[in-house]
Short mmCIF file of all heavy atoms in Angstrom, two decimals:
data_model
loop_
_atom_site.label_atom_id
_atom_site.label_comp_id
_atom_site.label_asym_id
_atom_site.label_seq_id
_atom_site.Cartn_x
_atom_site.Cartn_y
_atom_site.Cartn_z
N LYS A 20 11.38 -24.47 20.99
CA LYS A 20 11.00 -24.94 19.65
C LYS A 20 9.93 -24.05 19.01
O LYS A 20 8.96 -24.53 18.43
CB LYS A 20 10.56 -26.40 19.69
CG LYS A 20 11.67 -27.35 20.09
CD LYS A 20 11.20 -28.79 20.05
CE LYS A 20 12.26 -29.82 20.29
NZ LYS A 20 13.27 -29.60 21.25
N LEU A 34 14.89 -5.16 12.93
CA LEU A 34 14.82 -6.32 13.82
C LEU A 34 15.17 -7.59 13.04
O LEU A 34 15.96 -8.41 13.50
CB LEU A 34 13.44 -6.43 14.46
CG LEU A 34 13.32 -7.47 15.56
CD1 LEU A 34 12.40 -6.96 16.67
CD2 LEU A 34 12.79 -8.78 15.03
N TRP A 47 15.01 -20.58 14.13
CA TRP A 47 13.99 -19.95 14.98
C TRP A 47 13.37 -18.69 14.40
O TRP A 47 12.42 -18.15 14.94
CB TRP A 47 14.55 -19.66 16.37
CG TRP A 47 15.82 -18.86 16.39
CD1 TRP A 47 17.10 -19.34 16.32
CD2 TRP A 47 15.95 -17.44 16.49
NE1 TRP A 47 18.01 -18.31 16.35
CE2 TRP A 47 17.32 -17.13 16.47
CE3 TRP A 47 15.04 -16.39 16.61
CZ2 TRP A 47 17.80 -15.83 16.55
CZ3 TRP A 47 15.51 -15.10 16.69
CH2 TRP A 47 16.89 -14.83 16.67
N PHE A 52 8.24 -9.20 7.63
CA PHE A 52 7.44 -8.38 6.73
C PHE A 52 7.83 -6.92 6.98
O PHE A 52 7.73 -6.44 8.11
CB PHE A 52 5.94 -8.51 7.04
CG PHE A 52 5.39 -9.89 6.94
CD1 PHE A 52 5.42 -10.75 8.04
CD2 PHE A 52 4.80 -10.35 5.77
CE1 PHE A 52 4.88 -12.03 7.96
CE2 PHE A 52 4.27 -11.63 5.68
CZ PHE A 52 4.31 -12.47 6.78
N SER A 56 4.20 1.06 4.00
CA SER A 56 3.00 1.78 3.54
C SER A 56 1.73 1.14 4.10
O SER A 56 1.73 -0.04 4.50
CB SER A 56 2.93 1.78 2.01
OG SER A 56 2.65 0.47 1.54
N GLU A 58 -0.76 0.39 2.30
CA GLU A 58 -1.13 -0.65 1.33
C GLU A 58 -0.43 -1.96 1.66
O GLU A 58 -1.02 -3.03 1.59
CB GLU A 58 -0.79 -0.19 -0.09
CG GLU A 58 -1.65 0.94 -0.61
CD GLU A 58 -1.29 2.32 -0.05
OE1 GLU A 58 -0.19 2.48 0.55
OE2 GLU A 58 -2.12 3.24 -0.19
N ALA A 59 0.85 -1.88 2.01
CA ALA A 59 1.59 -3.09 2.37
C ALA A 59 1.00 -3.72 3.63
O ALA A 59 0.90 -4.95 3.73
CB ALA A 59 3.06 -2.78 2.58
N LEU A 64 -0.38 -8.18 5.47
CA LEU A 64 -0.73 -8.58 6.83
C LEU A 64 -2.22 -8.63 7.09
O LEU A 64 -2.65 -9.09 8.16
CB LEU A 64 -0.07 -7.62 7.84
CG LEU A 64 1.45 -7.56 7.80
CD1 LEU A 64 1.96 -6.45 8.72
CD2 LEU A 64 2.06 -8.90 8.19
N GLY A 65 -3.01 -8.13 6.17
CA GLY A 65 -4.46 -8.16 6.36
C GLY A 65 -5.00 -7.10 7.30
O GLY A 65 -6.11 -7.22 7.82
N ALA A 76 -2.11 4.48 11.02
CA ALA A 76 -1.09 3.43 10.95
C ALA A 76 -0.35 3.26 12.26
O ALA A 76 0.14 2.17 12.56
CB ALA A 76 -0.11 3.72 9.82
N GLU A 80 -4.60 -0.44 17.66
CA GLU A 80 -5.44 -1.30 16.82
C GLU A 80 -4.66 -1.81 15.61
O GLU A 80 -4.72 -3.01 15.28
CB GLU A 80 -6.68 -0.52 16.36
CG GLU A 80 -7.64 -0.16 17.47
CD GLU A 80 -7.23 1.08 18.29
OE1 GLU A 80 -6.22 1.74 17.97
OE2 GLU A 80 -7.94 1.38 19.27
N SER A 93 2.18 -16.62 8.03
CA SER A 93 3.47 -17.30 8.21
C SER A 93 3.25 -18.64 8.88
O SER A 93 2.12 -18.99 9.22
CB SER A 93 4.41 -16.44 9.06
OG SER A 93 4.02 -16.46 10.43
N VAL A 97 5.26 -17.31 17.13
CA VAL A 97 5.32 -16.05 17.86
C VAL A 97 5.55 -14.94 16.85
O VAL A 97 6.28 -15.13 15.88
CB VAL A 97 6.49 -16.05 18.88
CG1 VAL A 97 6.60 -14.73 19.61
CG2 VAL A 97 6.35 -17.20 19.85
N LYS A 114 -0.01 12.48 18.12
CA LYS A 114 0.99 11.43 17.91
C LYS A 114 2.32 12.10 17.56
O LYS A 114 2.69 12.21 16.39
CB LYS A 114 0.56 10.48 16.80
CG LYS A 114 -0.69 9.67 17.12
CD LYS A 114 -1.08 8.77 15.96
CE LYS A 114 -2.40 8.06 16.23
NZ LYS A 114 -2.82 7.26 15.07
N ILE A 121 4.10 -1.36 19.86
CA ILE A 121 4.67 -2.69 19.64
C ILE A 121 3.67 -3.72 20.16
O ILE A 121 3.05 -3.51 21.21
CB ILE A 121 6.02 -2.86 20.36
CG1 ILE A 121 7.01 -1.77 19.92
CG2 ILE A 121 6.61 -4.26 20.10
CD1 ILE A 121 8.32 -1.76 20.70
N GLY A 139 14.82 11.49 20.86
CA GLY A 139 16.02 11.44 20.03
C GLY A 139 15.71 11.65 18.57
O GLY A 139 14.58 11.95 18.18
#
Side-chain angles (χ1 to χ4, degrees):
K20 296 183 174 39
L34 189 143
W47 54 272
F52 301 88
S56 69
E58 291 77 15
L64 299 173
E80 293 80 4
S93 74
V97 177
K114 295 178 185 176
I121 304 174

